[in-house]
Amino acid sequence: MKIKSILGVFIVVLAFSCKQKVENKKNSSSSETKYVEKTENTTPLFRNSIVSTDIDFITSTDPDAFLNLIYVGQDTKEMPGAENDELFDENTYIFKATFKNNKKVEIWAHSDFGSKAAAKIYVDKLTDKLGKLPNFMREALHHVVIHKGDSTAFAEDAGKFFVLYSDNMDTRISNNDLEETVFHESIHVALDLLYAKSKGWKTAQTQDKTYITAYAESKPKQEDLAETAIFVYTMEKYPGRLSSDIETWVKTNVPHRYAFLKAIFTPKE
């Protein structure tokens, strides 16, 4: 009776141990699967980098290099825009902003503003945003165009400028998005011609499994560089500003583009 009892206990313990090993293996496998699903994701993280997120990548209190602004006068300037077909504006209001590294960027406000004072209101809304750019990006800028209206900003990389619209600027300011808009368009000016079609960037795109935003995925040749850059810049310039989940997602899902852009931003800052 005693031997049978001991034998029975041994069998029960052995069975329980085997069961635990099987369950632990299942749980381990399940955990690994969940980890892969959480980190290796082929679905873009956001719809786009700026207006569809609540992330304040660049804040209004971040330091900027803007020093002063002078009014140059009125002259005829090439003022491309989405809301009219007239390329040239005969009485454009011209301002010149100076920054700490003695870089000067002209800001051209369309004559539709009606007065120097009205134009300067929107120029003043822009200058500190330009001051928050990395030096090498500001160095690439020749000028900025400001129109009256509510169209979306766009850049001309070959001409080294980008275009803003007054009502859209106000909307972006109210959403804490104008700094990011200026950064995004300046990336087009500073980096697109150098890298967007380069072998290194194309290889990085191919090696990564997804895009950080759906907008980048929809226009990989035009928008992926600018969309990804603002995440990498923020991670390098302001560590911890993005959530740890976002930083992990970037490093896990677009590691090659992360490394490519990190090499550009880190030495410059």
Side-chain angles (χ1 to χ4, degrees), residues 74-86:
Q74 288 179 273
D75 201 353
T76 300
K77 291 295 183 182
E78 187 174 336
M79 301 284 282
E83 298 186 4
N84 61 67
D85 296 326
E86 295 181 3

Side-chain angles (χ1 to χ4, degrees), residues 1-266:
M1 182 70 179
K2 190 174 181 180
I3 295 175
K4 288 183 180 180
S5 297
I6 294 172
L7 183 60
V9 170
F10 175 76
I11 293 171
V12 168
V13 170
L14 181 61
F16 180 77
S17 175
C18 292
K19 181 180 179 182
Q20 284 294 100
K21 288 180 180 180
V22 171
E23 287 180 351
N24 288 339
K25 185 176 181 180
K26 286 181 179 179
N27 289 337
S28 175
S29 176
S30 176
S31 297
E32 290 174 4
T33 302
K34 287 179 181 178
Y35 178 77
V36 170
E37 288 174 353
K38 181 180 178 181
T39 58
E40 295 182 2
N41 195 332
T42 58
T43 302
L45 193 58
F46 298 105
R47 186 164 55 85
N48 55 56
S49 62
I50 300 174
V51 299
S52 70
T53 74
D54 292 326
I55 303 170
D56 202 7
F57 295 92
I58 306 167
T59 71
S60 60
T61 57
D62 287 341
D64 72 81
F66 172 68
L67 291 177
N68 59 66
L69 181 75
I70 62 170
Y71 177 61
V72 176
Q74 288 179 273
D75 201 353
T76 300
K77 291 295 183 182
E78 187 174 336
M79 301 284 282
E83 298 186 4
N84 61 67
D85 296 326
E86 295 181 3
L87 183 58
F88 289 92
D89 178 40
E90 294 183 355
N91 294 296
T92 300
Y93 299 100
I94 304 168
F95 298 82
K96 186 176 291 185
T98 302
F99 300 88
K100 287 181 181 177
N101 59 347
N102 204 34
K103 168 65 177 177
K104 294 174 173 59
V105 177
E106 289 196 351
I107 303 171
W108 303 348
H110 199 278
S111 62
D112 284 349
F113 280 100
S115 70
K116 167 191 168 184
K120 187 174 182 296
I121 289 172
Y122 284 90
V123 173
D124 286 339
K125 293 179 180 183
L126 172 63
T127 51
D128 66 315
K129 281 70 176 176
L130 293 174
K132 296 178 194 303
L133 294 173
N135 286 336
F136 78 94
M137 289 172 61
R138 193 167 46 250
E139 286 289 339
L141 274 175
H142 179 266
H143 66 277
V144 180
V145 169
I146 304 179
H147 284 282
K148 287 197 73 175
D150 196 22
S151 294
T152 303
F154 67 89
E156 291 283 353
D157 52 9
K160 299 298 181 182
F161 70 92
F162 62 88
V163 178
L164 298 172
Y165 291 83
S166 59
D167 294 349
N168 188 258
M169 288 175 69
D170 287 334
T171 299
R172 297 294 174 99
I173 289 171
S174 68
N175 294 327
N176 294 318
D177 286 340
L178 187 56
E179 290 90 354
E180 289 80 4
T181 300
V182 169
F183 183 94
H184 180 102
E185 302 306 335
S186 296
I187 283 289
H188 285 306
V189 172
L191 299 185
D192 274 6
L193 288 178
L194 289 174
Y195 299 117
K197 296 180 180 179
S198 70
K199 181 179 179 181
W201 179 251
K202 287 181 178 179
T203 299
Q205 285 180 308
T206 301
Q207 290 175 324
D208 291 337
K209 297 180 180 180
T210 188
Y211 294 84
I212 198 161
T213 68
Y215 186 42
E217 186 176 40
S218 69
K219 296 183 177 181
K221 295 179 181 179
Q222 296 87 8
E223 297 297 338
D224 186 29
L225 185 58
E227 287 286 277
T228 310
I230 195 165
F231 287 89
V232 178
Y233 169 75
T234 305
M235 289 166 67
E236 297 307 305
K237 179 68 174 178
Y238 302 107
R241 180 167 289 181
L242 301 182
S243 71
S244 59
D245 286 344
I246 292 175
E247 290 195 355
T248 298
W249 192 100
V250 171
K251 292 176 181 179
T252 302
N253 292 287
V254 291
H256 300 93
R257 275 168 286 181
Y258 168 72
F260 186 98
L261 289 165
K262 180 180 178 181
I264 292 171
F265 288 122
T266 304

